[in-house]
């Protein structure tokens, strides 16, 4: 009878272990994620968010919506501040349509395609080291016209 009690305990422990595994898998584990929604500001050459903050290392799911009825827009998050943004903008204009994105993505963290009026796209990326990163629209003259913002990455 002592042996049967021990067998029962093994069975109970196994059941708990299975339950724990199932719960962990369904909950998404420890990898936290953040969702950001950003849009163009109507017909203005601007985003509806001038800045947003994300925690470093997290998976960011960002949805950009072009709410304009006439303009094409995208969002390109660059690996730096205004100087890097200007460099990427110049490379993007040289790359030309349809997406105005340089083939060399070295200075780019994440980018949507160039979206027509009313279109949206969701992109996923990992938040980089703490700091401030510009995001810009690379349609010609939009960045210069004020279509940019700052992604702040917190420690
Ligand atoms: Cu634009």
């Amino acid at each position: 009878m002592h042996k049967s009690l021990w067998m029962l305990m093994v069975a109970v422990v196994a059941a708990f272990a299975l339950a724990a595994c199932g719960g962990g898998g369904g909950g998404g584990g420890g990898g936290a994620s953040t969702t950001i929604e950003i849009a163009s500001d109507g017909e203005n050459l601007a985003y509806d968010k001038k800045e947003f903050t994300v925690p470093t290392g997290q998976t960011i799911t960002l949805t950009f919506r072009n709410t304009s009825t006439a303009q094409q827009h995208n969002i390109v998050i660059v690996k730096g501040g205004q100087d890097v943004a200007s460099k990427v903008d110049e490379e993007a204009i040289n790359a030309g349509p349809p997406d105005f994105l340089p083939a060399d993505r070295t200075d780019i963290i994440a980018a949507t395609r160039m979206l027509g009026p009313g279109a949206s796209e969701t992109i996923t990326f990992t938040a980089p080291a703490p700091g401030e990163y510009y995001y810009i629209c690379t349609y010609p003259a939009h960045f210069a016209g004020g279509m940019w913002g700052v992604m702040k990455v917190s420690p």
Side-chain angles (χ1 to χ4, degrees):
M1 57 181 169
H2 190 248
K3 189 184 177 189
S4 63
L5 244 179
W6 189 82
M7 288 298 283
L8 181 66
M9 276 187 63
V10 168
V12 168
V13 168
F16 268 106
L18 273 173
C21 272
S33 66
T34 298
T35 300
I36 300 290
E37 296 205 352
I38 186 165
S40 61
D41 182 19
E43 302 306 320
N44 297 321
L45 294 183
Y47 294 103
D48 66 349
K49 289 185 173 73
K50 196 67 184 164
E51 63 175 61
F52 62 83
T53 302
V54 294
T56 185
Q58 281 203 0
T59 300
I60 311 302
T61 301
L62 181 150
T63 298
F64 171 61
R65 186 174 304 279
N66 179 0
T67 59
S68 168
T69 58
Q71 307 271 8
Q72 294 183 60
H73 294 303
N74 66 358
I75 185 167
V76 178
I77 306 170
V78 306
K79 291 180 185 169
Q82 187 181 6
D83 52 339
V84 180
S86 295
K87 179 170 178 270
V88 169
D89 186 52
E90 193 177 321
E91 291 169 354
I93 290 166
N94 289 335
D99 284 325
F100 294 96
L101 283 175
D104 180 359
R105 299 290 191 99
T106 306
D107 291 324
I108 296 174
I109 293 170
T112 66
R113 290 164 297 160
M114 189 59 67
L115 301 177
S120 66
E121 184 179 339
T122 298
I123 54 176
T124 301
F125 60 95
T126 302
E132 296 192 349
Y133 302 83
Y134 267 46
Y135 51 87
I136 66 173
C137 174
T138 58
Y139 194 89
H142 286 199
F143 171 52
M147 194 156 188
W148 60 275
V150 177
M151 176 176 80
K152 297 185 174 181
V153 180
S154 61

mmCIF file with all atom_site columns, all heavy atoms in Angstrom, residues 72-73 137 139 142 147, ligand 1:
data_model
loop_
_atom_site.group_PDB
_atom_site.id
_atom_site.type_symbol
_atom_site.label_atom_id
_atom_site.label_alt_id
_atom_site.label_comp_id
_atom_site.label_asym_id
_atom_site.label_entity_id
_atom_site.label_seq_id
_atom_site.pdbx_PDB_ins_code
_atom_site.Cartn_x
_atom_site.Cartn_y
_atom_site.Cartn_z
_atom_site.occupancy
_atom_site.B_iso_or_equiv
_atom_site.pdbx_formal_charge
_atom_site.auth_seq_id
_atom_site.auth_comp_id
_atom_site.auth_asym_id
_atom_site.auth_atom_id
_atom_site.pdbx_PDB_model_num
ATOM   1  N  N   . GLN A 1 72  ? 0.204 60.186 -50.228 1.00 0.00 ? 72  GLN A N   1
ATOM   2  C  CA  . GLN A 1 72  ? 0.838 58.916 -49.872 1.00 0.00 ? 72  GLN A CA  1
ATOM   3  C  C   . GLN A 1 72  ? 1.748 59.167 -48.662 1.00 0.00 ? 72  GLN A C   1
ATOM   4  O  O   . GLN A 1 72  ? 2.388 60.217 -48.573 1.00 0.00 ? 72  GLN A O   1
ATOM   5  C  CB  . GLN A 1 72  ? 1.702 58.387 -51.027 1.00 0.00 ? 72  GLN A CB  1
ATOM   6  C  CG  . GLN A 1 72  ? 0.905 57.994 -52.263 1.00 0.00 ? 72  GLN A CG  1
ATOM   7  C  CD  . GLN A 1 72  ? 1.826 57.405 -53.322 1.00 0.00 ? 72  GLN A CD  1
ATOM   8  O  OE1 . GLN A 1 72  ? 2.476 56.405 -53.093 1.00 0.00 ? 72  GLN A OE1 1
ATOM   9  N  NE2 . GLN A 1 72  ? 1.873 58.043 -54.478 1.00 0.00 ? 72  GLN A NE2 1
ATOM   10 N  N   . HIS A 1 73  ? 1.756 58.215 -47.735 1.00 0.00 ? 73  HIS A N   1
ATOM   11 C  CA  . HIS A 1 73  ? 2.620 58.333 -46.552 1.00 0.00 ? 73  HIS A CA  1
ATOM   12 C  C   . HIS A 1 73  ? 3.171 56.965 -46.169 1.00 0.00 ? 73  HIS A C   1
ATOM   13 O  O   . HIS A 1 73  ? 2.567 55.936 -46.460 1.00 0.00 ? 73  HIS A O   1
ATOM   14 C  CB  . HIS A 1 73  ? 1.829 58.843 -45.338 1.00 0.00 ? 73  HIS A CB  1
ATOM   15 C  CG  . HIS A 1 73  ? 1.308 60.241 -45.465 1.00 0.00 ? 73  HIS A CG  1
ATOM   16 N  ND1 . HIS A 1 73  ? 2.105 61.344 -45.708 1.00 0.00 ? 73  HIS A ND1 1
ATOM   17 C  CD2 . HIS A 1 73  ? 0.045 60.728 -45.335 1.00 0.00 ? 73  HIS A CD2 1
ATOM   18 C  CE1 . HIS A 1 73  ? 1.346 62.434 -45.735 1.00 0.00 ? 73  HIS A CE1 1
ATOM   19 N  NE2 . HIS A 1 73  ? 0.092 62.101 -45.515 1.00 0.00 ? 73  HIS A NE2 1
ATOM   20 N  N   . CYS A 1 137 ? 8.369 60.289 -42.588 1.00 0.00 ? 137 CYS A N   1
ATOM   21 C  CA  . CYS A 1 137 ? 7.741 59.867 -43.840 1.00 0.00 ? 137 CYS A CA  1
ATOM   22 C  C   . CYS A 1 137 ? 8.743 60.191 -44.941 1.00 0.00 ? 137 CYS A C   1
ATOM   23 O  O   . CYS A 1 137 ? 9.244 61.316 -45.026 1.00 0.00 ? 137 CYS A O   1
ATOM   24 C  CB  . CYS A 1 137 ? 6.432 60.610 -44.074 1.00 0.00 ? 137 CYS A CB  1
ATOM   25 S  SG  . CYS A 1 137 ? 5.699 60.239 -45.691 1.00 0.00 ? 137 CYS A SG  1
ATOM   26 N  N   . TYR A 1 139 ? 8.174 60.095 -48.238 1.00 0.00 ? 139 TYR A N   1
ATOM   27 C  CA  . TYR A 1 139 ? 7.671 60.643 -49.503 1.00 0.00 ? 139 TYR A CA  1
ATOM   28 C  C   . TYR A 1 139 ? 8.356 61.993 -49.697 1.00 0.00 ? 139 TYR A C   1
ATOM   29 O  O   . TYR A 1 139 ? 8.481 62.767 -48.743 1.00 0.00 ? 139 TYR A O   1
ATOM   30 C  CB  . TYR A 1 139 ? 6.143 60.805 -49.462 1.00 0.00 ? 139 TYR A CB  1
ATOM   31 C  CG  . TYR A 1 139 ? 5.571 61.047 -50.836 1.00 0.00 ? 139 TYR A CG  1
ATOM   32 C  CD1 . TYR A 1 139 ? 5.193 59.982 -51.648 1.00 0.00 ? 139 TYR A CD1 1
ATOM   33 C  CD2 . TYR A 1 139 ? 5.460 62.353 -51.338 1.00 0.00 ? 139 TYR A CD2 1
ATOM   34 C  CE1 . TYR A 1 139 ? 4.709 60.200 -52.927 1.00 0.00 ? 139 TYR A CE1 1
ATOM   35 C  CE2 . TYR A 1 139 ? 4.976 62.579 -52.620 1.00 0.00 ? 139 TYR A CE2 1
ATOM   36 C  CZ  . TYR A 1 139 ? 4.604 61.498 -53.408 1.00 0.00 ? 139 TYR A CZ  1
ATOM   37 O  OH  . TYR A 1 139 ? 4.124 61.715 -54.679 1.00 0.00 ? 139 TYR A OH  1
ATOM   38 N  N   . HIS A 1 142 ? 8.019 65.448 -47.563 1.00 0.00 ? 142 HIS A N   1
ATOM   39 C  CA  . HIS A 1 142 ? 7.168 65.307 -46.368 1.00 0.00 ? 142 HIS A CA  1
ATOM   40 C  C   . HIS A 1 142 ? 7.957 65.476 -45.069 1.00 0.00 ? 142 HIS A C   1
ATOM   41 O  O   . HIS A 1 142 ? 7.492 66.133 -44.142 1.00 0.00 ? 142 HIS A O   1
ATOM   42 C  CB  . HIS A 1 142 ? 6.418 63.968 -46.385 1.00 0.00 ? 142 HIS A CB  1
ATOM   43 C  CG  . HIS A 1 142 ? 5.297 63.948 -47.381 1.00 0.00 ? 142 HIS A CG  1
ATOM   44 N  ND1 . HIS A 1 142 ? 4.264 63.041 -47.339 1.00 0.00 ? 142 HIS A ND1 1
ATOM   45 C  CD2 . HIS A 1 142 ? 5.048 64.751 -48.457 1.00 0.00 ? 142 HIS A CD2 1
ATOM   46 C  CE1 . HIS A 1 142 ? 3.423 63.272 -48.344 1.00 0.00 ? 142 HIS A CE1 1
ATOM   47 N  NE2 . HIS A 1 142 ? 3.894 64.298 -49.038 1.00 0.00 ? 142 HIS A NE2 1
ATOM   48 N  N   . MET A 1 147 ? 6.802 66.126 -41.375 1.00 0.00 ? 147 MET A N   1
ATOM   49 C  CA  . MET A 1 147 ? 6.239 64.810 -41.071 1.00 0.00 ? 147 MET A CA  1
ATOM   50 C  C   . MET A 1 147 ? 7.299 63.921 -40.415 1.00 0.00 ? 147 MET A C   1
ATOM   51 O  O   . MET A 1 147 ? 7.955 63.098 -41.067 1.00 0.00 ? 147 MET A O   1
ATOM   52 C  CB  . MET A 1 147 ? 5.679 64.151 -42.340 1.00 0.00 ? 147 MET A CB  1
ATOM   53 C  CG  . MET A 1 147 ? 4.788 62.968 -42.018 1.00 0.00 ? 147 MET A CG  1
ATOM   54 S  SD  . MET A 1 147 ? 3.622 62.624 -43.321 1.00 0.00 ? 147 MET A SD  1
ATOM   55 C  CE  . MET A 1 147 ? 2.622 61.377 -42.517 1.00 0.00 ? 147 MET A CE  1
HETATM 56 CU CU1 . LIG B 2 .   ? 4.046 61.531 -46.032 1.00 0.00 ? 1   LIG B CU1 1
#
